């Protein structure tokens, strides 16, 4: 096992929650079909861009260490390979779905390395298509100031202030020619491509822009949008007063609506779940977990006897939620909030150390939860049906964890 993160150097490792790619193949999907656009084309879900189509998702974990080295761990073969070399100048790792991003900050100049895992699945009507291609560095995007990166349904938006670079997922070889837009609004939160549009969070609203960044006049109140996630139903922003859901109607028009919290609720700053599922979950302060059913437009509060650190919705027919509690246990909650299973205190050392607590990550697929344990240099695979620890991957320095495939 590797040691805990080296002293004197702290990197920011953030898992973006705007998930766009599902991890279950040929699962039923009623996701809104993206509208056509010259800048953000619709995702027809059948073009692998030269990658091989495979019968089921080629699932793998991307694990970043304290130097930003990315290890690709194949979950079928357990083979490990280097996805990106470590770099002493790396300041952060961000990622979701197929892509990972390593960020380098030099004064006011920021450089983003865009890395393709070569593994992804795309919903297509009532089934999905999975692909396996060559991983590697696609190129870099530069800007001034802090970088905000959001992976949408057919493109990735890398934003520096009001300036946005759009990376078309079907034109990854042309990264140097990716279009640059200056938005007519002042984003204070996420900006994500969705259904041939751009959705931009300002201080107090979610603004719907067209593919060229022009305002459409569609806006909905949202104070302090901290997160955005793509579900089977649409795009969901986490706001102080609840969620804002943006969906696509028949014909291509977008509609935005608020899903307010119950009175007196504590907001969840981050919502998480399996991609292409309607449910999202988040931590409700020290009260437990929120479950949001974006199809029913309904919040449910699950009270727990111990404060929680992480929560993610499985999004299955039983509406289960996986959580990491402050005592280091991993638990699965039922649709009524009752506890179905609980592990031993696997992560006790990591959650007890303030320097490591923020580095504990939770990602899930249809069968398992994966949790990083930086105190022991391990990642645990947990069957979220019965709480069994099915595998432990040792010899890692898991500062960041991402599921691809």
């Amino acid at each position: 096992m590797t040691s805990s993160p080296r002293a004197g150097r702290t990197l920011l490792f953030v898992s973006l929650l705007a998930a766009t790619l599902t991890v279950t193949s040929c699962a039923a999907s009623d996701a809104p079909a993206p509208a056509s656009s010259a800048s953000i084309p619709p995702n027809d879900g059948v073009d692998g861009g030269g990658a091989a189509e495979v019968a089921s998702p080629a699932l793998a974990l991307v694990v970043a260490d304290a130097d930003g080295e990315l290890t690709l761990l194949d979950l079928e073969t357990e083979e490990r390979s280097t996805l990106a070399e470590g770099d002493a100048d790396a300041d952060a790792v961000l990622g979701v779905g197929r892509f990972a991003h390593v960020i380098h900050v030099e004064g006011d100049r920021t450089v983003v390395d865009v890395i393709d895992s070569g593994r992804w699945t795309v919903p297509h009507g009532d089934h999905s298509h999975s692909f396996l291609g060559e991983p590697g560095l696609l190129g870099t995007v530069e800007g001034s100031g802090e970088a905000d990166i959001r992976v949408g349904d057919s493109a990735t938006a890398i934003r520096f202030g009001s300036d946005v670079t759009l990376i078309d997922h079907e034109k990854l070889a042309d990264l140097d020619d990716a279009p640059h837009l200056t938005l007519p609004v002042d984003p204070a939160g996420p900006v994500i491509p969705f259904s041939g549009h751009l959705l931009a969070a300002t201080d107090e609203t979610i603004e719907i822009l067209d593919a060229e960044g022009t305002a459409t006049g569609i806006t909905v109140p949202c104070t302090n949008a901290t997160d955005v996630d793509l579900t089977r139903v649409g795009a969901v922003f986490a706001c102080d007063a609840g969620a804002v859901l943006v969906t696509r109607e028949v014909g291509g028009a977008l509609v935005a609506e608020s899903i307010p919290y119950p009175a007196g609720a504590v907001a969840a700053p981050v919502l998480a779940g399996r991609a292409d599922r309607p449910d999202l979950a988040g931590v409700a302060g020290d009260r437990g977990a929120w479950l949001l059913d974006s199809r029913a437009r309904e919040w449910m509060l699950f009270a727990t006897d111990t404060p929680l650190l992480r929560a993610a919705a499985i999004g299955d027919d039983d509406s289960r939620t996986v959580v990491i509690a402050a005592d280091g246990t991993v638990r699965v909650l039922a649709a009524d909030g009752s506890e179905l299973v609980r592990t031993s205190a696997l992560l006790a050392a990591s959650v007890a150390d303030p320097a490591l607590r923020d580095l504990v990550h939770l990602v899930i697929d249809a069968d398992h939860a994966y949790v990083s344990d930086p105190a022991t240099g391990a990642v645990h695979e947990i069957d979220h049906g019965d709480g069994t620890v099915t595998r432990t991957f040792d010899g890692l320095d898991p500062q960041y964890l991402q599921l691809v495939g």
Side-chain angles (χ1 to χ4, degrees):
M1 297 182 183
T2 60
S3 62
S4 60
R6 60 206 66 175
R9 185 157 189 265
T10 302
L11 302 187
L12 171 66
F13 294 92
V14 181
S15 178
L16 294 181
L17 300 172
T20 178
L21 305 176
T22 181
V23 294
T24 55
S25 180
C26 291
S29 171
D30 54 6
S36 179
S37 160
S39 299
I40 309 176
N43 188 344
D44 63 10
V46 296
D47 183 5
E53 185 165 1
V54 291
S56 59
L59 296 180
L61 297 176
V62 176
V63 184
D65 70 9
D67 281 333
E69 178 172 307
L70 303 185
T71 297
L72 187 69
L73 195 165
D74 189 298
L75 288 172
E76 179 179 3
T77 66
E78 300 188 16
E79 180 182 354
R80 305 182 187 189
S81 58
T82 300
L83 186 59
E85 297 289 345
D87 185 343
D89 294 328
D91 292 280
V93 176
L94 310 172
V96 66
R98 172 182 177 178
F99 303 100
H101 306 86
V102 180
I103 297 177
H104 313 263
V105 179
E106 302 172 2
D108 191 47
R109 176 174 172 268
T110 302
V111 178
V112 179
D113 295 335
V114 182
I115 299 164
D116 187 359
S117 71
R119 298 163 183 251
W120 72 100
T121 296
V122 183
H124 186 225
D126 62 353
H127 61 284
S128 299
H129 294 266
S130 297
F131 298 96
L132 179 61
E134 288 296 322
L137 176 67
L138 295 174
T140 61
V141 174
E142 299 186 19
S144 297
E146 184 178 352
D148 184 87
I149 305 168
R150 305 289 167 168
V151 180
D153 52 1
S154 60
T156 295
I158 300 180
R159 178 178 67 84
F160 302 94
S162 295
D163 296 325
V164 175
T165 297
L166 288 175
I167 300 174
D168 186 335
H169 295 167
E170 293 186 357
K171 298 179 181 178
L172 295 175
D174 303 322
L175 196 61
D176 292 339
D177 298 324
H180 301 271
L181 306 176
T182 299
L183 303 184
V185 298
D186 184 16
V191 174
I192 188 170
F194 173 72
S195 196
H197 293 72
L198 288 173
L199 312 181
T202 70
D203 282 327
E204 297 181 347
T205 61
I206 303 301
E207 304 284 338
I208 298 182
L209 314 175
D210 67 17
E212 285 70 40
T214 303
T216 65
I218 303 174
T219 182
V220 64
C222 170
T223 303
N224 189 30
T226 52
D227 183 33
V228 64
D229 198 298
L230 297 189
T231 73
R232 175 174 295 192
V233 179
V236 178
F237 287 83
C239 312
D240 282 348
V244 167
L245 172 65
V246 182
T247 57
R248 178 184 184 271
E249 292 187 322
V250 175
L254 297 191
V255 175
E257 59 187 297
S258 297
I259 308 174
Y261 285 119
V266 178
V270 174
L271 298 172
R274 288 170 58 209
D276 195 38
R277 294 298 184 272
D279 293 348
L280 296 171
V283 176
D286 60 1
R287 300 175 60 187
W290 284 113
L291 179 67
L292 172 64
D293 183 337
S294 63
R295 181 180 287 119
R297 277 70 163 171
E298 180 181 23
W299 293 100
M300 289 164 282
L301 178 63
F302 299 155
T304 56
D305 59 4
T306 305
L308 304 179
L309 299 179
R310 306 285 181 268
I314 299 174
D316 55 8
D317 292 339
D318 295 325
S319 297
R320 295 176 300 152
T321 300
V322 181
V323 301
I324 298 176
D327 60 2
T329 61
V330 179
R331 310 178 187 188
V332 180
L333 308 180
D336 61 359
S338 61
E339 187 175 296
L340 297 173
V341 297
R342 179 191 299 199
T343 70
S344 63
L346 287 171
L347 309 174
S350 290
V351 301
D353 187 339
L356 300 181
R357 192 177 301 132
D358 289 342
L359 303 179
V360 175
H361 292 279
L362 164 67
V363 295
I364 54 177
D365 66 17
D367 301 307
H368 299 98
Y370 298 90
V371 295
S372 55
D373 189 0
T376 63
V379 173
H380 304 290
E381 178 187 74
I382 300 165
D383 185 326
H384 51 57
D386 60 14
T388 302
V389 178
T390 50
R391 289 185 291 186
T392 293
F393 304 105
D394 293 311
L396 298 165
D397 180 16
Q399 308 280 297
Y400 162 82
L401 185 66
Q402 178 181 340
L403 180 67
V404 297

